[in-house]
Amino acid sequence: MSLPHLYSDLHGKLMDRGVWASLRARLAARSRVTNLGVVMLTVALVFSMILNMRHTTRIVKVPIQPSTGVECPERFGNVRTLLPVLPGHGKVKLTHLVIVAGHAVWKGNPALSVTDDNNWYLEDYQRGGSVQTFVKHIETGIGIAANDSSSLLVFSGGQTRDQAWLSEAESYFRLALQLSPTLPRWPQTALAATAPKSAFQPLFDDGAQSARPAASSGTAAPLMGQSTEDGGPNLAHLRMTTENFALDSFQNLMFSIARFREYTNTYPEKVTVVGYKFKEKRFRDLHARALRWPMHKPTSDGSSRFNYVGIDDANRVNPIERDNAYEQFRQDLYGCHHRLLEKRRRRNVARRLPPYASTANEISGLIDWCPADNSALQGLYPYSLPWDPRVNTGMGRGALLVMEQNGGYILQEEVLPDGKKIIT
């Protein structure tokens, strides 16, 4: 068949039904394709797709190292260089986290009693006796931390009141400075190398000590007291700090552990929580389990890794009798659905997000973990945590069990020259 030269010839060919019938017959005819042909067509198709994706997708590469080409030795290492040397570095090891969970914000008005409801930003149900319990929580936490030189006292509570810029934790810290002259301090031997100034003194001078009201009398003295060379109290000499982002009891525990890591560069070996007695079951059965905290593994000195000190309201008009949030947390261990989520949103009046995904990056996955709704224990965080036995020792649970059964020794297999095997 010759090719058409004129438009009329081309038009005639296109309109010829015989030509189209012949073409359809050729396309519909049976054909045999070999395996090699199939492979070659497949390779050509894949290669074509790769080329198309390469030319149509714009990939923006962000440099992960300085322009000098020297890679950072540690992730977030540059951030941590902003921290000063810990006062007890190399001399006092902090291993015990003491948490005082916040519940309200103290206004700090010296003209009013510490236990006066008008000196606090309170919810309606907290009026009529709760502030006396808050003060007891603070005093109890101070006493525990002051008697244990390996402890760090953390007041935990976010900026939950739209009437105040202070967080619950910051207001508790301020009140602690006035409530007790025996605050937890770094030993002088630990301060010698990093802080030559005199040790921190309570915020009351000698003349005011006799007149300084205790928490029972309920009146706070003004912030006068001893000062350092630069004119202010040296708070760095205290083993006390704040955690300013927690919005509920679960975050009180998790964020305080993260704050301990942020402050000390390590994770605690044991935790003591001071709070309401009726919340103890929630902390033990739900919060500690959600964090997979080793509740039943004692520390090296034989003490418990998790302790709870509960103090309920004694003189409230309408005492709180039960834990209304227990069932909610039982179905939603991480508090990221429905009512618990809405409660966090309602309390987060300052629209703040915690920094711990960076400053305690080993548990960043745990901080953001949110399993399916109503998953309960089936939604437990499944990945490694810094306090897991495998992480701490490099051994699995089976090896640890064998070691415990054999007096702390690992069984080893030895092959004798004659081929016999013995266990040592």
Side-chain angles (χ1 to χ4, degrees):
M1 182 177 65
S2 60
L3 296 175
H5 298 283
L6 300 175
Y7 173 76
S8 58
D9 295 335
L10 179 61
H11 183 267
K13 291 292 184 181
L14 293 176
M15 298 302 295
D16 188 354
R17 294 183 177 180
V19 173
W20 289 108
S22 175
L23 179 61
R24 284 197 299 270
R26 287 177 179 273
L27 293 176
R30 291 185 177 182
S31 176
R32 182 178 179 183
V33 181
T34 63
N35 292 336
L36 178 60
V38 173
V39 171
M40 292 178 65
L41 289 173
T42 303
V43 171
L45 176 62
V46 172
F47 184 69
S48 176
M49 292 176 62
I50 292 175
L51 288 178
N52 288 331
M53 291 176 62
R54 180 179 178 183
H55 288 289
T56 58
T57 304
R58 183 183 179 187
I59 302 177
V60 179
K61 294 184 178 180
V62 180
I64 59 174
Q65 59 184 17
S67 58
T68 59
V70 179
E71 187 175 355
C72 291
E74 181 183 357
R75 191 183 182 193
F76 305 117
N78 187 46
V79 174
R80 297 200 68 85
T81 59
L82 300 176
L83 294 176
V85 177
L86 199 66
H89 178 71
K91 298 180 179 181
V92 179
K93 183 180 179 182
L94 299 183
T95 59
H96 183 193
L97 168 61
V98 181
I99 304 170
V100 175
H103 300 281
V105 174
W106 179 56
K107 296 180 181 179
N109 188 346
L112 297 176
S113 166
V114 168
T115 56
D116 188 336
D117 285 356
N118 294 322
N119 208 2
W120 292 77
Y121 293 109
L122 302 171
E123 301 287 354
D124 291 338
Y125 68 86
Q126 294 176 323
R127 297 186 178 277
S130 285
V131 294
Q132 297 179 6
T133 309
F134 302 160
V135 171
K136 291 178 182 177
H137 290 170
I138 296 172
E139 291 182 321
T140 302
I142 291 173
I144 295 172
N147 292 325
D148 183 359
S149 60
S150 68
S151 67
L152 175 68
L153 176 58
V154 176
F155 297 107
S156 173
Q159 189 177 334
T160 60
R161 299 297 193 272
D162 53 9
Q163 309 99 318
W165 286 107
L166 278 180
S167 67
E168 295 174 356
E170 289 167 335
S171 73
Y172 273 40
F173 191 104
R174 291 179 61 206
L175 183 52
L177 297 180
Q178 300 213 54
L179 287 177
S180 175
T182 57
L183 298 172
R185 301 182 181 87
W186 290 98
Q188 285 295 322
T189 54
L191 294 170
T194 58
K197 297 180 181 180
S198 59
F200 175 82
Q201 298 295 325
L203 298 180
F204 309 96
D205 58 20
D206 295 335
Q209 283 291 344
S210 59
R212 185 186 65 84
S216 57
S217 62
T219 305
L223 298 179
M224 27 190 191
Q226 302 291 334
S227 61
T228 58
E229 296 172 4
D230 58 0
N234 195 336
L235 303 182
H237 287 188
L238 299 178
R239 286 183 290 106
M240 290 171 32
T241 187
T242 60
E243 187 290 301
N244 300 314
F245 296 92
L247 301 172
D248 57 29
S249 56
F250 175 68
Q251 291 187 345
N252 283 140
L253 180 57
M254 179 171 63
F255 287 176
S256 293
I257 293 175
R259 174 59 179 150
F260 189 97
R261 163 69 168 94
E262 187 178 64
Y263 189 92
T264 68
N265 205 29
T266 61
Y267 287 95
E269 295 181 7
K270 65 178 180 179
V271 174
T272 298
V273 180
V274 180
Y276 273 104
K277 177 66 176 176
F278 72 88
K279 292 186 179 182
E280 179 174 2
K281 185 175 176 63
R282 186 201 304 182
F283 272 88
R284 288 186 177 276
D285 295 353
L286 302 179
H287 296 342
R289 184 174 295 184
L291 300 180
R292 300 211 323 267
W293 188 258
M295 299 281 290
H296 305 295
K297 294 287 185 180
T299 62
S300 56
D301 62 0
S303 59
S304 174
R305 290 188 181 273
F306 187 87
N307 304 278
Y308 193 94
V309 179
I311 304 173
D312 282 341
D313 296 338
N315 301 317
R316 275 183 55 85
V317 176
N318 298 312
I320 302 173
E321 298 179 352
R322 66 189 186 92
D323 187 356
N324 295 322
Y326 183 89
E327 285 300 318
Q328 298 174 35
F329 273 110
R330 190 174 68 84
Q331 292 299 322
D332 183 10
L333 284 176
Y334 299 90
C336 54
H337 296 286
H338 305 307
R339 294 178 64 182
L340 294 176
L341 175 59
E342 288 303 318
K343 185 183 294 184
R344 288 178 180 173
R345 287 173 173 168
R346 186 173 64 252
R347 290 177 174 175
N348 193 9
V349 296
R351 298 177 60 84
R352 298 190 183 278
L353 294 175
Y356 306 124
S358 294
T359 58
N361 57 294
E362 298 88 352
I363 60 172
S364 59
L366 174 65
I367 291 172
D368 280 332
W369 180 251
C370 184
D373 189 17
N374 293 321
S375 57
L377 287 175
Q378 294 181 352
L380 206 62
Y381 183 72
Y383 304 107
S384 294
L385 291 169
W387 43 87
D388 286 344
R390 182 183 295 274
V391 175
N392 293 331
T393 64
M395 296 183 293
R397 296 178 181 176
L400 290 173
L401 180 60
V402 171
M403 187 173 67
E404 290 176 3
Q405 294 173 347
N406 291 276
Y409 295 96
I410 298 294
L411 297 179
Q412 296 181 354
E413 184 179 78
E414 182 178 352
V415 180
L416 298 179
D418 58 1
K420 294 182 180 180
K421 296 180 180 180
I422 61 173
I423 304 296
T424 59

